[in-house]
Amino acid sequence: MNGMITRVIANLEKVIIGKTEEIKLILAALLAGGHVLLEDVPGTGKTVLAKALAKSFDCEFSRVQFTPDLLPSELTGINFYSPKSGEFTFRKGSLFANIVLGDEINRATPRTQSGLLESMEERQITVDGVTHPLPAPYFVIATQNPIETQGTFPLPEAQLDRFLLQLKLGYPSSEESAAILKRFIDPEEAGRDPLKTLQPVCGLEDLLDMQASVKNIYVHEVIFKYIVDLAEATRNHENVSLGISTRGILALTKIAQAYCAIRGEEFVTPKAVLDVMPYVFAHRLIIKGGIHRRGSAFAILDEIKDSVTAPVEEWKAKR
């Protein structure tokens, strides 16, 4: 597994420069069977990263540009009547793919956004009382622009909770920006867009095998208790009106397993839990005085890290 992960990361870094940690977190979400919300300003590589990920695994890819006039049926599919056959036939929507990129998801109406809920949680879509299973693996990467709010519809808590992680790619450093220009523009480098020439390094079966192996990463009982203690600390914090739910606890455990697997570790450590906790918990917190304030959420989670005592030695013990 480690060899395949290394190849995938190296492949993605042919296109995305200087975001190794973010790439690892997105891969961890994919291996954990979750979904990712990328919130950042335009032009930071969100769409390119999603396309490169699909190419690396040779997955079926679908990109949906969310707009105010996008209909739920365009996502889920529709039964249409054929005069020739005299029967209704189901025509699949954009969600029927292995990796789905929902670009600017907050530009669609709440009704359209709700079309994602069943697919993200149950991996299926129900149209006119008939349930259609989605392909496996199934992974949604949604993007949204945090600085432009005109004509947008904030994601409700129920939908935010469906995302395993919320990440920001951020701007590259000066050196990384120069490397990006050289790679994409300088004819001495490649003379062509590296995304167009990107080749698969793993197949769908490899990805499914890796998802199955992640579940074997050992989690000691004291780690379970540590994760619960962290969640309960959010519920009892004086500045939090709604803390972490049971789904959030499960999400943190799964992503910690996947993150440790990517790092070549056989069991979940307290450090791994703390490393991924902000990306799992921050978008799930509702802060008093506001619905979602990301900066405040991270500050509260820093306090919680210091206030909850981490296990020291017991987690090293095997079953």
Side-chain angles (χ1 to χ4, degrees):
M1 175 174 171
N2 290 339
M4 284 188 285
I5 288 295
T6 301
R7 291 198 300 272
V8 172
I9 292 174
N11 208 43
L12 293 173
E13 288 182 331
K14 293 178 182 178
V15 180
I16 303 296
I17 295 176
K19 300 299 177 185
T20 303
E21 186 60 27
E22 288 79 4
I23 288 173
K24 288 181 178 178
L25 286 167
I26 291 172
L27 283 175
L30 174 60
L31 296 184
H35 310 285
V36 174
L37 177 62
L38 295 178
E39 183 182 63
D40 217 330
V41 297
T44 52
K46 302 184 294 295
T47 302
V48 173
L49 176 57
K51 291 180 178 180
L53 186 66
K55 282 196 168 188
S56 295
F57 285 104
D58 197 20
C59 289
E60 185 179 354
F61 176 75
S62 175
R63 179 184 181 275
V64 186
Q65 181 63 54
F66 280 72
T67 57
D69 60 349
L70 183 71
L71 298 175
S73 59
E74 296 181 64
L75 299 176
T76 60
I78 190 172
N79 288 313
F80 74 97
Y81 180 75
S82 173
K84 185 176 182 179
S85 63
E87 297 178 348
F88 282 92
T89 304
F90 179 67
R91 179 177 292 169
K92 294 180 179 179
S94 304
L95 297 182
F96 284 84
N98 296 116
I99 295 181
V100 177
L101 171 62
D103 219 352
E104 295 185 297
I105 187 175
N106 57 331
R107 289 200 174 278
T109 62
R111 180 187 178 194
T112 299
Q113 290 179 20
S114 68
L116 282 166
L117 295 179
E118 183 184 12
S119 70
M120 292 174 68
E121 186 67 18
E122 283 86 23
R123 268 64 173 179
Q124 65 184 31
I125 287 174
T126 303
V127 178
D128 294 339
V130 179
T131 298
H132 305 271
L134 290 166
Y138 182 70
F139 184 53
V140 174
I141 302 179
T143 72
Q144 64 176 2
N145 179 358
I147 63 170
E148 190 176 3
T149 58
Q150 185 175 3
T152 62
F153 303 86
L155 272 63
E157 288 73 26
Q159 187 164 351
L160 280 172
D161 202 34
R162 296 298 202 281
F163 288 101
L164 191 64
L165 298 178
Q166 181 175 351
L167 296 175
K168 292 183 67 174
L169 292 182
Y171 289 121
S173 65
S174 298
E175 295 78 10
E176 291 164 353
S177 295
I180 291 171
L181 291 176
K182 187 173 180 63
R183 179 173 295 182
F184 282 83
I185 304 299
D186 191 345
E188 294 182 2
E189 279 287 308
R192 56 187 181 273
D193 186 346
L195 179 62
K196 294 181 180 178
T197 59
L198 202 67
Q199 297 297 317
V201 293
C202 291
L204 278 180
E205 291 301 322
D206 296 321
L207 177 53
L208 291 171
D209 289 342
M210 285 190 285
Q211 287 181 331
S213 65
V214 160
K215 298 176 182 178
N216 295 324
I217 299 298
Y218 178 62
V219 186
H220 195 280
E221 287 186 7
V222 297
I223 297 295
F224 286 141
K225 185 178 185 306
Y226 182 48
I227 291 172
V228 171
D229 289 345
L230 290 169
E232 289 186 345
T234 67
R235 300 167 188 168
N236 298 324
H237 196 281
E238 60 182 0
N239 293 323
V240 175
S241 60
L242 184 65
I244 299 303
S245 67
T246 302
R247 182 186 283 136
I249 297 173
L250 289 169
L252 180 55
T253 307
K254 291 177 180 179
I255 196 68
Q257 285 180 294
Y259 192 66
C260 287
I262 287 176
R263 299 199 303 191
E265 299 170 351
E266 297 180 354
F267 45 80
V268 174
T269 65
K271 183 181 184 304
V273 172
L274 292 182
D275 286 344
V276 299
M277 183 188 74
Y279 309 107
V280 180
F281 279 6
H283 65 286
R284 291 180 161 90
L285 293 181
I286 297 182
I287 311 301
K288 290 181 179 178
I291 298 177
H292 293 286
R293 293 186 294 178
R294 191 171 175 80
S296 300
F298 273 91
I300 288 171
L301 292 174
D302 283 339
E303 293 178 18
I304 289 173
K305 284 181 181 180
D306 297 332
S307 66
V308 179
T309 303
V312 180
E313 295 292 337
E314 298 93 334
W315 52 268
K316 294 182 180 180
K318 290 287 187 178
R319 291 184 181 87

